[in-house]
Amino acid sequence: MKANVMYAAGDVRVVEAPVPTLQKPTDAILKVVAACICGSDLHPYHSMHAHEHGEGEAMGHEVIGTIEEMGSQVAGFKKGDLVVVPFAYGDLTCPFCQEGLMTSCVHGGFMTGCQAEFVRVPQARGTCSSCLTKLMRALPCCPPC
């Protein structure tokens, strides 16, 4: 698959990368429909030091995509659902998530690698939101999912 990787300030390349796979039963794999560029991408674009080993950093923290595959503990979705994924992932069951503080989830973290053709979403049940599926299918400007 193609993915955006930043190697140093101003050095962004589209590279071939492996398609992600499920690593845990709480994961989902999305086919990316749209990804955005945010300040978390722009700040290193202007100031990132070159990596010593040349591996670079996968770009992108937010994504809209269709579910391609789900782990056994992901419920409430089906293959093909259009979902929105924010920059932070979480399980929605820990005390922090229950208080609306998903960025502090004890089982959470921050998304990376969303500027690619596919992305792995940890804690998919708590992270993905399918609220746009019916709306997107109804809009004449959007292709069917």
Side-chain angles (χ1 to χ4, degrees), residues 67-83:
I67 294 179
E68 290 289 307
E69 187 178 1
M70 296 177 292
S72 61
Q73 294 179 16
V74 180
F77 302 101
K78 65 183 183 311
K79 183 176 178 178
D81 278 355
L82 183 68
V83 296

Side-chain angles (χ1 to χ4, degrees), residues 17-91:
V19 174
T21 59
L22 298 174
Q23 296 178 13
K24 295 184 179 181
T26 53
D27 290 350
I29 304 299
L30 303 185
K31 181 176 183 180
V32 174
V33 173
C36 60
I37 298 172
C38 68
S40 297
D41 298 309
L42 294 176
H43 297 304
Y45 181 82
H46 296 292
S47 62
M48 179 179 170
H49 296 289
H51 284 256
E52 290 180 20
H53 303 290
E55 67 274 359
E57 290 185 23
M59 295 180 66
H61 309 289
E62 299 95 0
V63 67
I64 297 172
T66 56
I67 294 179
E68 290 289 307
E69 187 178 1
M70 296 177 292
S72 61
Q73 294 179 16
V74 180
F77 302 101
K78 65 183 183 311
K79 183 176 178 178
D81 278 355
L82 183 68
V83 296
V84 177
V85 176
F87 69 98
Y89 62 86
D91 63 9

Side-chain angles (χ1 to χ4, degrees), residues 60-64 83-90 102-103 109-112 114 121 126-129:
H61 309 289
E62 299 95 0
V63 67
I64 297 172
V83 296
V84 177
V85 176
F87 69 98
Y89 62 86
M102 199 163 119
T103 56
F110 295 94
M111 292 296 298
T112 188
C114 293
V121 180
T127 304
C128 296
S129 174

